Amino acid sequence: MGTELPDYYFRVRENGAAVFRVDTENRQRRIEMDQIAVINIRNGEVKPHGDRALTDADLARIEAWMAERADVLAHRDIDDIHRAVDYLNLTTQWAQSRASEEQLEDVTDALLLAMHDLRSVLVRKKADRLTSGN
C-alpha cells in the first residue's frame, strides 16, 4: 500500500455510501475521517451531513465515485447471471448423476417453478425485442 491516502473514503451502504473527507495533515499525524455526506446510488441523491456545505471538489469526487460504483454493480449483476447459468448446469449434472430420490423430492417443485417463471420472462422479453426490431 502506498504512503499517500486518498482525500475521500466511501463507506459502502446498501443503497449508496457515507462519504468521509480524510485528513492526515494534523499535528498528531493521525488519520481523521470527517463525514461530509450520505449518497443514494439508486436515485442519485447527495445529502450533506449535518450542516456541511459540499465544495465543487467534493461533489466532483462524489459524482465520479457514483459512476464508478454503478459500473461495478452492473458488472456484478451480469457476472451473477453468468454464475447462475453455471449453477443451472451443475444442478442438471447433480440431478442426473448424484441426487438421491429424497434430495430430488426436496427440490424438484421449487426448481421447476423457478425455471418456469424464468423461462416465461425470458421468452416474453425475447419476443418483445424481436417485435420491436432491436
Side-chain angles (χ1 to χ4, degrees), residues 117-130:
D117 185 30
L118 176 60
R119 183 182 186 284
S120 297
V121 169
L122 291 175
V123 167
R124 185 175 62 250
K125 293 285 192 173
K126 177 89 174 188
D128 290 348
R129 287 194 310 274
L130 291 174

Side-chain angles (χ1 to χ4, degrees), residues 23 67 78 95 122 127 132-133:
D23 178 20
I78 197 67
L122 291 175
S132 70

Side-chain angles (χ1 to χ4, degrees), residues 65-83:
W65 183 88
M66 290 174 75
E68 293 164 10
R69 184 68 179 167
D71 287 346
V72 166
L73 294 175
H75 177 74
R76 284 183 186 168
D77 279 350
I78 197 67
D79 188 53
D80 286 346
I81 300 307
H82 287 292
R83 288 175 196 237

Side-chain angles (χ1 to χ4, degrees), residues 18-20 34-38 46-54:
V19 184
F20 297 84
D34 183 29
Q35 185 173 356
I36 61 170
V38 174
V46 177
K47 288 184 182 178
H49 184 71
D51 59 352
R52 301 273 191 273
L54 300 177

